[in-house]
Every structure is written in C-alpha cells, then in structure tokens.
Amino acid sequence: MSTSPDIRIDVSAATPVYRQIVDQIRTRAVEGALRPGDALPSVRRLAIDLGIHFNTVAEAYRALAEEGWIDVAHGKAARVRNRSTPPAPEAAEVEDFRQRLRHLIAEMRAQGLSPGRISRELLTLAEGLKR
Amino acid sequence: MSTSPDIRIDVSAATPVYRQIVDQIRTRAVEGALRPGDALPSVRRLAIDLGIHFNTVAEAYRALAEEGWIDVAHGKAARVRNRSTPPAPEAAEVEDFRQRLRHLIAEMRAQGLSPGRISRELLTLAEGLKR
Amino acid sequence: MSTSPDIRIDVSAATPVYRQIVDQIRTRAVEGALRPGDALPSVRRLAIDLGIHFNTVAEAYRALAEEGWIDVAHGKAARVRNRSTPPAPEAAEVEDFRQRLRHLIAEMRAQGLSPGRISRELLTLAEGLKR
Amino acid sequence: MSTSPDIRIDVSAATPVYRQIVDQIRTRAVEGALRPGDALPSVRRLAIDLGIHFNTVAEAYRALAEEGWIDVAHGKAARVRNRSTPPAPEAAEVEDFRQRLRHLIAEMRAQGLSPGRISRELLTLAEGLKR
DNA sequence: GTGGTCTAGACCACG
DNA sequence: GTGGTCTAGACCACA
C-alpha cells in the first residue's frame, strides 16, 4: 500500500510540472509527512491521479532519486530513502540560498506585501523549524 | 551620469541571465539602494559592462517595466519609477509565496543546512525588514 | 549438499538483482572457486538465503545456462558445466570489450581516481590472470 | 563552430542509446579528445547525424551536465566544462569499481578470450594511463 | 504489476 | 538559432 502524497499541480504555472512534483515531495519528506520506507504511488498511478502523462511523473521520480530522497528500482514501488547525514554545505551554497531568499522577498514586496506582513511570515516559518 | 547598480552575472548559473538582472535590480529597488528617479545605465552600456548581448538586457528592462519598477522611453534613460501604492495582494498569491518559501527551505535542508541555521537566516531577514 | 557460492546482493543497487547473481557466479566459475561438476543450491534455497523472490533466481540460472556456464534440469540440482573449448571470439566482440573497459576507466577517473591508482588496479588484475 | 565528437551508436545494443552517448563523450573528455571550452553539436544537429530523436540526445547532455562534464544553457551551445578537482573517491566506490572490472573480465573469459589475451589488453590500458 | 527507453511532434523560453 | 517541457504511445526489462 502506498502513502498518498496529496500533490497539487498547476499546469498553467511558470514552474514546470515535474519540478512542482519534486518540490512538493521533497518538502513533505523534509517536514516528516513522508517517512523513510514509505512507498510512493507508481508513476502511472500518480500520473492518472494528477491528470498528466506518466513520463512527467517518471522524470520527477528520477530527479528525486538523484537528489537522494527516494529509491527507485525496476518492478518495485519507489520508496522514501533513509537519508544518511547530508554533506556539509559549502559557504558558496549558503550565500546562493541567502540571495534566493532575498530575491523571493523582493518579489513579495513587488506584489504589494508589506514588510511587516512578510516579516511575520518569516517568523512563523522560523518558529516551525524549532519544533 | 547614471547610477551603477553593480550587478553580478553568472552565465553558467541555472537561472537565466535576464532573470538575474531583473532579480538584482528589483532587490536593490526594494532595499532602497535604487531610489525613485534614479537613472539606469543604457541597455547597451550595461550589456557591455556585463559582457552579454544587449537583447538580454533589453528583455530584463522590459520585464522590470512590466512589473512597474522602472519607466522606459525611446531616447531617454530608463528611470526607477515612483511606485504608487501597490495593489493589494490576493490570498492565493500570498499562499503561493508561502509555498515557494517552504520549498526553498526544504531545498536548503536537503543541502545539509541545519534547521537552526536556516531559522537564524530567516530571523536576520525578518529583522532587516523592520528597519 | 551443494556448494554455497556466498553471493552478496544489494537490492538498492543500479544493476538488476538477477544480473548480480549471474555476474558473481560467472566470476567464481572463471576464477576457479566454482569447479565443473559442483552443484549449485536450488532456486528456492538460494532465494530464501538471499531474501529475494525465487523467480529472480530462476531467471539468473536460466541466463547462466544460456551462456553455457551451468546445466539445469528438472528435479536435479543445477551443476557447473565442464566447458569445452569456448568458441573463438570475433574481432568485433574484442573491440566491444575494449571499449567497455575504456568507458569503465573513464568513469573511474570521473569519480576522482587518479590514473596511477587505476593503472595499479589494472596491473594487479593482469597479474592475477597469469596464475 | 563545434567539435564533431564522432560518436558511434548501436541501436540494437543492450545499453541504452543515451548511455552510449554519455559513455563516449565522457571517455573523449577524459582522454583529452574533447577539451574544456569545446562546443558540442546542438541536440538537434547530433540527433540528425546519429539518426535518432533529439530527446534522446538531450537526455544524454542532461546526464553529462549533472555529472559535471559539460555546461548546458538555454540558447547557447553546450560546452565541455573546465572540471575543478573532483571529490575524493570513497573506499566503497573503489571496491565497487574493482568488482565491476572483475565481472567484465569474467565476461570476457566467458566469451572465449584467453587470460593471456585479456592480460595484454589490461597492460596496454595501464600503459596508456601513464602518458 | 513495476519502471525504463525511445520516437514523434507540439509549444515555450532564452539569447 | 539554442535547449526545455510535455504529451502520446510503443516496446522492453525486471520482480
């Protein structure tokens, strides 16, 4: 039996569909909604559920496998991998993430969100990380 | 003479060059390094400075104009616009940003950054917004 | 009682399970650990020992029989065949192997192994063949 | 202008076409036939030359980019990357390669190549690495 | 049943 | 011009 990851796809969004799948499954794995050993639905099953082609799901699973989040093998269901200690992040990578965060925040302000509102969102997320 | 925005381009990065320009100029405008009325370098000037094709810069300026950050006109330097009160963001947009933030954080954790470290980054950014 | 070939299976590896079995039994036969006439464990016995489905073991035995390494028959244990002089390899096949060797070495260098280190590995193997 | 890597494809071979492309380009890069900065033919150009679909070539380029051998970007030709020092190989990886070498040699003997002949092949390759 | 590979071709994004 | 994404569907390999 496989855990249903409850994925929401927006085909008209700018980010590719396969990336949306990757992002959502990775987020669920990080946040604990998907645990090591959990089986994912088959590529064809999930494709039907989402109303997309199975190749698109297969590409997402392949990317997740390469990132080390899941194990895929012929004839068997894909499963969430028990990640060993991840490699230490390099300073350049940290700076890259910091910049992406700043750009995202700039986009939010460009869309009319007030600094106070954004600040509150960040504090909520930071709080959630301490759990 | 025009304000030099000091833009850093990485042609081998995953994000398109024109997006890098847009992101960095928008970020500077949001953070106050670029103020309403400031003139940007000409498309050809900036293209030469960055060592890229001027079409790429032109596309970036076009995108910034569409987002309402700058005014462009034939024969005159592009200038940072005096943004009127931005439209109120819709709930769906806020939720979209929240999700993008969560995905970014998941990527950071996937790269080995500890929750505590990420939390500190978020708090620093939130602090900066209160200025 | 049958010879225990001491096979190690990694179900999460990239190479299919049945190929791992084939590769390891063939290697043992070539290197002399398995000799003509030696009996292999039954399909079901080996499957239980390895913790895999017996169909997978059956497929491996079938492939080994096709390659001429073992004899299988209903109701009797599979046995290592007394290989007659093998057919002379064609030039095309030799070239194919040479290419596979070069590709493997390229992969090793891609993984960071120094040419000197790889060279030593090759010399060790060549030495072992002269026994 | 792009270097022609002179790739030979066998569509009836067991190894997937895209892997054959990856293996051959990687080998050429390791052996120096392809040097950092060299441009590869476009995916559509190479696909036509090889008589296959461009998606297959694109998949090969993507894999090579992920392995760090080439840089691919929108609108520009793929180029051989100037590889920085590769990460140190772990002991487990070395053992994995050693085993793959042994299996390959066993296959060669299974095909009728004499130990002496194989030994000579290995010595030739080891010699080539000392250049 | 599972995932993998390949072709065919549409449409989009980037430079 | 370049590469990227997606669909459609055939056929193969593995468990």
Side-chain angles (χ1 to χ4, degrees):
Chain A
M1 190 170 59
S2 65
T3 309
S4 164
D6 181 33
I7 291 172
R8 248 75 68 88
I9 294 301
D10 177 6
V11 290
S12 65
T15 50
V17 174
Y18 88 97
R19 269 242 137 254
Q20 295 180 40
I21 299 172
V22 169
D23 284 342
Q24 292 183 45
I25 291 182
R26 194 203 294 107
T27 301
R28 274 161 185 70
V30 163
E31 297 180 346
L34 283 175
R35 300 175 158 286
D38 283 356
L40 296 175
S42 77
V43 287
R44 283 165 171 88
R45 175 77 253 143
L46 185 54
I48 292 170
D49 291 347
L50 299 179
I52 59 180
H53 195 267
F54 77 84
N55 270 346
T56 306
V57 178
E59 195 171 344
Y61 278 21
R62 224 171 290 136
L64 284 164
E66 248 159 37
E67 284 189 23
W69 287 105
I70 66 176
D71 281 317
V72 290
H74 267 173
K76 294 188 291 191
R79 286 182 180 280
V80 178
R81 183 185 297 180
N82 196 343
R83 276 171 76 84
S84 52
T85 49
E90 297 177 22
E93 287 179 292
V94 176
E95 185 49 46
D96 178 59
F97 278 123
R98 195 176 289 138
Q99 189 170 295
R100 284 168 70 185
L101 268 171
R102 285 173 58 218
H103 289 337
L104 221 193
I105 289 169
E107 263 193 83
M108 294 167 86
R109 294 187 60 170
Q111 285 292 323
L113 265 79
S114 69
R117 177 65 189 280
I118 296 170
S119 182
R120 252 179 296 135
E121 294 285 347
L122 296 177
L123 292 174
T124 305
L125 284 168
E127 199 57 40
L129 288 167
K130 286 178 183 164
R131 263 179 318 172
Chain B
M1 181 93 158
S2 63
T3 307
S4 164
D6 181 32
I7 292 172
R8 247 74 69 91
I9 295 299
D10 178 5
V11 290
S12 65
T15 49
V17 174
Y18 92 100
R19 279 287 319 246
Q20 294 181 43
I21 299 172
V22 169
D23 284 344
Q24 292 183 44
I25 291 182
R26 185 178 39 224
T27 301
R28 274 160 186 70
V30 163
E31 296 179 345
L34 283 175
R35 300 172 161 285
D38 283 356
L40 294 175
S42 77
V43 168
R44 281 169 170 81
R45 175 76 254 145
L46 185 54
I48 291 171
D49 290 347
L50 300 178
I52 60 182
H53 198 272
F54 73 86
N55 270 346
T56 306
V57 177
E59 199 168 340
Y61 278 19
R62 216 175 300 132
L64 284 164
E66 234 171 49
E67 287 189 23
W69 286 104
I70 65 176
D71 283 314
V72 292
H74 283 295
K76 295 193 291 187
R79 286 184 181 281
V80 178
R81 184 186 292 182
N82 194 343
R83 278 170 73 85
S84 51
T85 50
E90 299 178 20
E93 286 179 296
V94 176
E95 184 50 44
D96 178 61
F97 278 123
R98 195 176 288 137
Q99 190 170 293
R100 284 168 69 185
L101 270 170
R102 285 173 59 218
H103 289 337
L104 222 193
I105 290 169
E107 265 193 81
M108 294 166 85
R109 295 187 58 173
Q111 284 292 324
L113 266 79
S114 69
R117 177 65 188 279
I118 296 170
S119 183
R120 251 179 296 135
E121 295 284 347
L122 295 177
L123 292 175
T124 305
L125 284 167
E127 198 57 42
L129 287 167
K130 287 179 183 163
R131 264 181 317 171
Chain C
M1 179 90 158
S2 62
T3 307
S4 164
D6 181 31
I7 291 172
R8 247 74 70 88
I9 295 299
D10 177 5
V11 290
S12 65
T15 49
V17 174
Y18 93 101
R19 279 286 321 247
Q20 295 181 43
I21 300 172
V22 169
D23 285 345
Q24 292 183 44
I25 291 182
R26 184 177 40 222
T27 301
R28 274 159 186 70
V30 163
E31 296 178 346
L34 283 175
R35 300 173 160 287
D38 283 356
L40 294 175
S42 76
V43 167
R44 282 170 169 80
R45 175 76 254 144
L46 185 55
I48 291 169
D49 290 347
L50 299 178
I52 59 182
H53 198 273
F54 73 85
N55 270 345
T56 306
V57 177
E59 199 168 338
Y61 279 20
R62 216 175 300 131
L64 284 164
E66 234 171 50
E67 286 188 22
W69 286 104
I70 66 177
D71 283 314
V72 292
H74 283 295
K76 295 193 293 188
R79 286 185 180 280
V80 178
R81 183 186 293 181
N82 194 344
R83 278 169 72 85
S84 51
T85 49
E90 297 178 21
E93 286 178 295
V94 176
E95 184 51 44
D96 178 60
F97 277 123
R98 193 177 289 137
Q99 190 170 292
R100 284 168 70 185
L101 270 171
R102 285 172 58 218
H103 289 337
L104 222 193
I105 290 169
E107 265 193 81
M108 295 166 84
R109 294 187 59 172
Q111 284 292 323
L113 266 79
S114 69
R117 176 67 188 278
I118 297 170
S119 183
R120 252 178 297 137
E121 294 285 345
L122 295 177
L123 292 174
T124 304
L125 283 168
E127 199 57 40
L129 288 168
K130 286 178 184 164
R131 265 180 317 170
Chain D
M1 191 168 61
S2 65
T3 309
S4 166
D6 182 32
I7 292 172
R8 249 73 70 90
I9 295 300
D10 178 6
V11 290
S12 65
T15 50
V17 174
Y18 88 97
R19 268 242 138 254
Q20 294 180 41
I21 298 173
V22 169
D23 284 342
Q24 293 183 44
I25 291 183
R26 195 203 294 108
T27 302
R28 275 160 184 72
V30 163
E31 297 180 346
L34 282 175
R35 300 174 158 285
D38 283 357
L40 295 175
S42 78
V43 285
R44 282 164 171 89
R45 174 78 254 143
L46 185 54
I48 292 171
D49 291 347
L50 299 178
I52 59 180
H53 195 265
F54 77 84
N55 270 346
T56 306
V57 178
E59 195 171 344
Y61 278 22
R62 224 172 290 137
L64 284 164
E66 247 159 37
E67 284 189 24
W69 288 106
I70 67 177
D71 281 316
V72 290
H74 267 173
K76 295 188 291 190
R79 287 181 180 281
V80 178
R81 185 185 296 181
N82 196 344
R83 275 171 77 83
S84 52
T85 50
E90 298 178 22
E93 287 179 293
V94 176
E95 185 49 44
D96 178 61
F97 277 124
R98 196 176 287 137
Q99 190 170 294
R100 284 168 71 185
L101 268 171
R102 285 173 57 218
H103 289 337
L104 221 193
I105 289 168
E107 264 193 82
M108 294 167 84
R109 293 187 61 172
Q111 285 291 324
L113 265 79
S114 69
R117 177 65 189 280
I118 296 170
S119 183
R120 251 180 296 135
E121 294 284 346
L122 295 177
L123 292 174
T124 304
L125 283 168
E127 198 58 41
L129 287 168
K130 287 178 183 164
R131 262 180 318 172

